[in-house]
């Protein structure tokens, strides 16, 4: 709040007075920080690019635009947006909203790619906190948000993933061969299901991956992004 002018009332007002860049305004919009200005996240992101071009000395309102009515975001989309924008999820973890689907992941048909229509089959998805309960050497699936990718120079080409769900963090090893075969999927996805062999005989669990399956295309094809949780924020 500005004591001499009162609270900000538009995105352009905030951007002009604070000297924010387009990227900074878009990040605030994605994090839900502009809802006090009367815009939900989608509307704020839509308006951010133009509004952020206003600068001190410009005529106020020169970038003013009519924001269209846009659909509200589902609980999953809001949680995922929080995680992407701020690194935290104050209203819960996005994977928790997908747990019911993940429990049946191996029974569901594939929605995209050359195997579209076929049932996945194979190993079920195991929550991170249960990896120590699975017999060592079992093929399983784990699912979550990729928190980091590391490729130490001494690891012989192995890439280490941190895969976080609502129960904890799974350590995943991606061999050089799998990385070469699925480099695009390994680099481009944030929400992923990984199939592999669990190792926990030494008292700490890790998974050696043999297949990487991005979840986003499958969820979009199944129209799950908007249906994971029926409650959504209404647009204004």
């Amino acid at each position: 709040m500005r004591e001499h002018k009162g609270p900000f009332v538009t995105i352009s007002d905030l951007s002009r007075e604070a000297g924010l860049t387009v990227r900074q305004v878009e990040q605030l919009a994605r994090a839900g920080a502009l809802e006090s200005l009367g815009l939900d996240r989608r509307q704020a992101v839509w308006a951010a690019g133009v509004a952020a071009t206003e600068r001190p000395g410009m005529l106020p309102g020169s970038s003013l635009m009519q924001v269209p009515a846009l659909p509200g975001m589902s609980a999953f989309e809001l949680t995922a947006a929080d995680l992407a924008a701020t690194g935290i999820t104050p209203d819960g973890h996005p994977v928790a909203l997908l747990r019911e689907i993940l429990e049946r992941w191996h029974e569901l048909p594939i929605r995209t790619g050359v195997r579209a229509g076929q049932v996945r089959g194979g190993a079920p998805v195991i929550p991170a906190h249960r990896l120590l309960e699975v017999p060592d050497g079992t093929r399983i699936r784990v699912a979550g948000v990729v928190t980091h990718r590391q490729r130490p120079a001494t690891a012989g080409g192995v890439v280490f993933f941190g895969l976080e769900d609502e129960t904890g963090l799974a350590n995943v090893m991606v061999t050089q061969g799998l990385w070469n075969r699925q480099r695009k999927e390994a680099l481009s996805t944030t929400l992923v299901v990984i199939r592999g062999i669990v190792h926990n005989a030494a008292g700490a669990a890790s998974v050696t991956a043999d297949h990487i399956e991005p979840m986003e295309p499958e969820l979009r094809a199944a129209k799950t992004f908007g249906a994971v949780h029926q409650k959504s924020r209404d647009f204004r």
Side-chain angles (χ1 to χ4, degrees):
M1 179 181 293
R2 301 163 296 175
E3 293 183 359
H4 63 296
K5 293 184 179 179
F8 295 111
V9 294
T10 66
I11 296 179
S12 57
D13 187 22
L14 169 64
S15 175
R16 183 179 61 256
E17 292 291 328
L20 301 178
T21 65
V22 172
R23 178 177 175 80
Q24 288 169 335
V25 177
E26 287 179 343
Q27 283 292 93
L28 288 172
R30 291 192 180 96
L34 303 180
E35 292 182 353
S36 64
L37 302 179
L39 300 173
D40 66 21
R41 297 195 200 199
R42 280 206 173 105
Q43 292 173 320
V45 170
W46 192 92
V50 175
T53 61
E54 287 204 8
R55 287 293 177 265
M58 294 178 62
L59 183 66
S62 58
S63 67
L64 191 63
M65 66 182 70
Q66 183 66 38
V67 179
L70 298 170
M73 297 174 72
S74 69
F76 175 80
E77 290 171 317
L78 288 168
T79 305
D82 284 334
L83 188 65
T86 68
I88 60 174
T89 54
D91 295 323
H93 198 283
V95 177
L97 299 173
L98 296 172
R99 183 54 60 189
E100 183 178 345
I101 294 172
L102 291 173
E103 288 177 350
R104 299 182 293 113
W105 191 257
H106 60 298
E107 302 172 348
L108 298 175
I110 298 170
R111 300 280 182 169
T112 60
V114 296
R115 294 185 58 206
Q118 299 180 29
V119 174
R120 285 182 180 82
V125 174
I126 304 296
H129 77 295
R130 288 187 51 213
L131 289 177
L132 285 173
E133 303 172 9
V134 179
D136 183 67
T138 302
R139 174 169 276 108
I140 52 93
R141 285 184 171 101
V142 288
V145 176
V146 178
T147 60
H148 62 273
R149 301 173 181 87
Q150 295 179 333
R151 193 173 194 173
T154 58
V158 173
V159 180
F160 296 92
F161 278 28
L163 198 63
E164 182 185 79
D165 66 13
E166 77 277 25
T167 71
L169 188 69
N171 295 309
V172 178
M173 296 181 291
V174 178
T175 64
Q176 186 171 14
L178 179 60
W179 180 268
N180 291 339
R181 292 194 302 273
Q182 292 198 271
R183 181 183 180 89
K184 179 180 178 181
E185 292 87 346
L187 283 174
S188 63
T189 189
T190 300
L191 192 62
V192 65
V193 175
I194 291 180
R195 187 188 67 200
I197 303 297
V198 65
H199 307 283
N200 56 20
S206 63
V207 177
T208 299
D210 58 43
H211 183 72
I212 300 171
E213 184 178 9
M215 290 184 66
E216 290 101 323
E218 290 291 302
L219 295 174
R220 289 194 184 96
K223 298 182 179 179
T224 305
F225 268 117
V228 168
H229 202 286
Q230 293 301 316
K231 182 179 180 181
S232 64
R233 296 190 184 181
D234 295 331
F235 57 83
R236 295 182 176 89

